[in-house]
Amino acid sequence: MALVGCGSAAPAISISNQQLSERVDTSDDWIRSRTGIGARRIASADEPLTELASRAARAALDHAGWAPGDLDLILLATSSPDDLFGTAPRVQGALGAMNAVAFDLTAACSGFLFALITAAQYIATGAVRRSLVIGADQLSRWLDWNDRRTCVLFGDGAAAVAVEACPVSETGLLGFRMRSDGSRYACLTLAQTDGRETLLPGVSTQKGGFAPIFMNGQEVYKFAVREVPQLLGEVLAATGTPADQVDWLLLHQANQRILDAVADRFAVPHERVLSNLAHYGNTSAATIPLMLDEAVRDGRIQPGQLLASSGFGAGLSWGAALLRWDGPRG
C-alpha cells in the first residue's frame, strides 16, 4: 500500500485561549504550559462533519490525481458522526464516488491509524485497489463548555489520505501494532446517558442521548507516555529500523508534553517532532492526517521519508505504525 495523496479541511472559526478564558476560569499561560495548545478550530452550527470530511476527501483526491470513480473504498474514522447509522456513505454520495463502498470506523483518537491499517488489509487481499482513509471529528458538539478540564483541549477538523496498491517492495506501511484495554475505558468517555422512558405499564426502555466528554487527564497522560514509546519501539524493532533513521515523529496531537516525552525516549530531536497543536488543539481522529497534510504541503515531508506514527486515546486504545510517504505518482 502506497500513500499517494492527502488533503485537509478545518472550520474557519478559531477560538484562542484568551477568548476561552472569558467563558471559563482559565488563562493562555495555564493552557499552553500544560498542553501546548494556543487555539482551536470550532465548526459553526451550519457546518456538519459530512461537509468537513468531504472537503478533505476532495483535496486528497485532487492531490493524488484521482477521479471519484477511481475509488473502491472509503473509510471514515470518526467518533462524532452526523448520523449514528454512518456518515461515510454521505461522504461517498457528496463525492460522487459511486464505485466505492463506504463505512465508519470508531476508535476515537486511534481511529485514523486503525482505519489506515484496515484499508491496507483490504488492499493486501486484492479486494481493493484504491482507498480514501479519512479522519474527521467534531467533538465541540459533545463538550461541556463550562468544564475547563476538557473544553480547552479539543477542536474540530478533517483530513484524508489516498492509498493504493503497489509492489511489496514499495509499501508505505512497513510495520504496525494495535492494542486495546477496555478495563481502563472509564478514563476517557463520551458515554450514553442513563435516560429511561416508560413504554408500557411495568416496561421501560432506554432513552438515547450522550453525556459530555469526560476525561481523567492525569491517567490518560500516564497511559500515553508509558504505552506509546513501548509500542513504537516494538514496531521499530520488528522492522529493523533504528530510531535515528526515522525522519519524523508523526503522533496523535493530544498534548505537547506527550510528544516531547516520546521523542526523548528515542533520542529524536524535538525539531523532528511534527506538531500543530498550537493552532488546532486535539481534533481526535483527524490529528495525524491533518498534521501529515500540513507537513507535506509545506515541504517538510518529502517522498521516501520514514514516519514513526502513533494514535492513542479512548477505549483505551493505541496503535503504532512505521510509514513511508510516497506522494502523487503522476
Side-chain angles (χ1 to χ4, degrees), residues 4-94:
V4 299
C6 56
S8 62
I13 299 172
S14 178
I15 297 180
S16 69
N17 292 342
Q18 179 59 41
Q19 289 174 296
L20 209 52
S21 72
E22 297 172 10
R23 181 183 178 95
V24 294
D25 182 17
T26 189
S27 69
D28 179 67
D29 180 67
W30 191 92
I31 298 170
R32 284 183 187 271
S33 64
R34 289 162 175 78
T35 69
I37 297 170
R40 69 283 299 144
R41 300 291 186 92
I42 301 299
S44 72
D46 300 317
E47 197 169 22
L49 187 80
T50 300
E51 180 181 324
L52 285 174
S54 298
R55 282 168 47 199
R58 290 189 190 96
L61 286 174
D62 290 345
H63 191 218
W66 296 355
D70 296 332
L71 284 172
D72 303 306
L73 173 67
I74 298 172
L75 291 182
L76 174 61
T78 186
S79 298
S80 48
D82 290 333
D83 187 330
L84 286 179
F85 285 165
T87 295
R90 295 174 66 173
V91 175
Q92 181 237 32

Side-chain angles (χ1 to χ4, degrees), residues 22 38 72 77 92 96 171 177 197 215 222 233 264 273 328-329:
E22 297 172 10
D72 303 306
Q92 181 237 32
T171 186
R177 295 284 190 278
E197 182 176 8
M215 184 171 71
K222 289 192 294 186
D264 293 342
V273 180
R329 295 187 159 196

Side-chain angles (χ1 to χ4, degrees), residues 79-80 139 142 188-192 210-214 314:
S79 298
S80 48
L139 294 182
W142 297 113
L188 180 52
T189 61
L190 203 174
Q192 182 174 323
F210 293 90
I213 293 171
F214 166 81

Side-chain angles (χ1 to χ4, degrees), residues 308-320:
S309 187
S310 179
F312 47 91
L316 294 174
S317 63
W318 64 109

Side-chain angles (χ1 to χ4, degrees), residues 224-309:
V225 297
R226 180 177 60 249
E227 303 289 0
V228 170
Q230 179 176 326
L231 201 60
L232 270 175
E234 290 180 20
V235 172
L236 294 179
T239 57
T241 307
D244 61 6
Q245 289 187 12
V246 172
D247 295 290
W248 299 101
L249 279 179
L250 174 59
L251 307 178
H252 167 52
Q253 307 285 296
N255 184 300
Q256 189 62 46
R257 292 189 298 167
I258 295 174
L259 273 59
D260 293 341
V262 175
D264 293 342
R265 164 68 174 77
F266 293 105
V268 173
H270 287 191
E271 58 267 24
R272 284 166 49 200
V273 180
L274 295 168
S275 175
N276 59 10
L277 262 169
H279 307 294
Y280 295 99
N282 181 348
T283 56
S284 192
T287 68
I288 291 175
L290 189 64
M291 184 67 257
L292 173 70
D293 184 55
E294 180 180 314
V296 166
R297 302 282 178 167
D298 68 21
R300 277 176 288 175
I301 295 178
Q302 293 292 313
Q305 289 189 332
L306 293 181
L307 318 172
S309 187

